[in-house]
Amino acid sequence: SGGFAEVESNEVTVLVNKAEMGKNIDSAKAEAELEQAKNQLSLNKDRGNSPEKIKAQEAMIKAKAWFQASKSD
């Protein structure tokens, strides 16, 4: 949901409003959300830079990250 990361020496500091452990994410639900986001983006692919297309792109990015996190250990 957005945030900042700082890398210094061998330490990473992450500041976010929301975070989830990948092992706590329902992989099937995340995959379904990713498919829905892909469909919405496909429906809006020819809409230039419309608010609907931008919203669909943002949903796709979030869904993809959520799905990838669900597959991590």
Side-chain angles (χ1 to χ4, degrees):
S1 63
F4 299 93
E6 177 183 75
V7 180
E8 193 173 309
S9 299
N10 289 331
E11 186 175 292
V12 177
T13 302
V14 179
L15 301 172
V16 294
N17 292 325
K18 179 182 174 185
E20 290 183 77
M21 297 291 292
K23 66 182 179 181
N24 296 336
I25 298 171
D26 180 339
S27 185
K29 185 176 177 182
E31 186 172 16
E33 191 164 314
L34 178 58
E35 288 303 314
Q36 183 179 8
K38 285 179 183 179
N39 290 337
Q40 282 298 317
L41 188 55
S42 179
L43 291 173
N44 289 287
K45 68 180 178 181
D46 296 327
R47 299 195 72 182
N49 286 328
S50 70
E52 294 83 4
K53 183 176 179 183
I54 292 169
K55 186 177 177 181
Q57 288 171 327
E58 290 173 352
M60 176 70 172
I61 291 167
K62 288 179 183 180
K64 188 174 182 181
W66 201 46
F67 178 69
Q68 287 174 337
S70 76
K71 297 297 185 185
S72 67
D73 291 326

